[in-house]
Amino acid sequence: MPKPSNLIDSWLHVATAGGTHPKSEALAQLNRDLGTKYRPNRLYEWRAGTFPVPSHVQAYMLHAALSWIIQEEGGNVPEDDAGFTDRVLQRMLPPPRAK
């Protein structure tokens, strides 16, 4: 299987344990965690680039997939460091938008 080429596919790979779990379960977990009601077609729209991925969803997906992406690219991730992803994402994402 080729490497996922975007955030949506990378998150799906991680959230479905490499495709062994249904995408519907991954989306249901995202909806529970974020308090949203996204339907499966929204994943396909995000993947195709026809609909923008909201910033809070991007952060959620990055948080889930970042360590895996780094390892896939040959990098090392500290095994016993639970805050690694949080610290790295904080440095990569823009500050929260003031309303």
Side-chain angles (χ1 to χ4, degrees):
M1 177 178 148
K3 287 184 183 181
S5 61
N6 58 60
L7 175 59
I8 309 307
D9 287 336
S10 294
W11 172 76
L12 279 170
H13 180 83
V14 171
T16 63
T20 61
H21 299 282
K23 292 176 186 174
S24 59
E25 287 181 16
L27 182 60
Q29 186 64 50
L30 178 144
N31 281 326
R32 281 190 298 275
D33 290 347
L34 297 180
T36 55
K37 295 181 181 178
Y38 294 117
R39 300 174 72 85
N41 65 318
R42 189 50 49 106
L43 284 176
Y44 298 104
E45 292 169 340
W46 289 337
R47 184 190 294 159
T50 57
F51 201 87
V53 182
S55 60
H56 67 290
V57 175
Q58 288 180 30
Y60 177 87
M61 290 180 170
L62 277 167
H63 191 273
L66 184 62
S67 292
W68 178 78
I69 293 168
I70 291 170
Q71 292 170 343
E72 275 291 294
E73 292 298 325
N76 296 319
V77 175
E79 289 181 33
D80 298 332
D81 190 349
F84 171 78
T85 302
D86 292 332
R87 289 192 313 275
V88 171
L89 278 181
Q90 195 171 36
R91 295 174 65 187
M92 293 173 64
L93 296 173
R97 184 173 177 220
K99 295 188 179 190

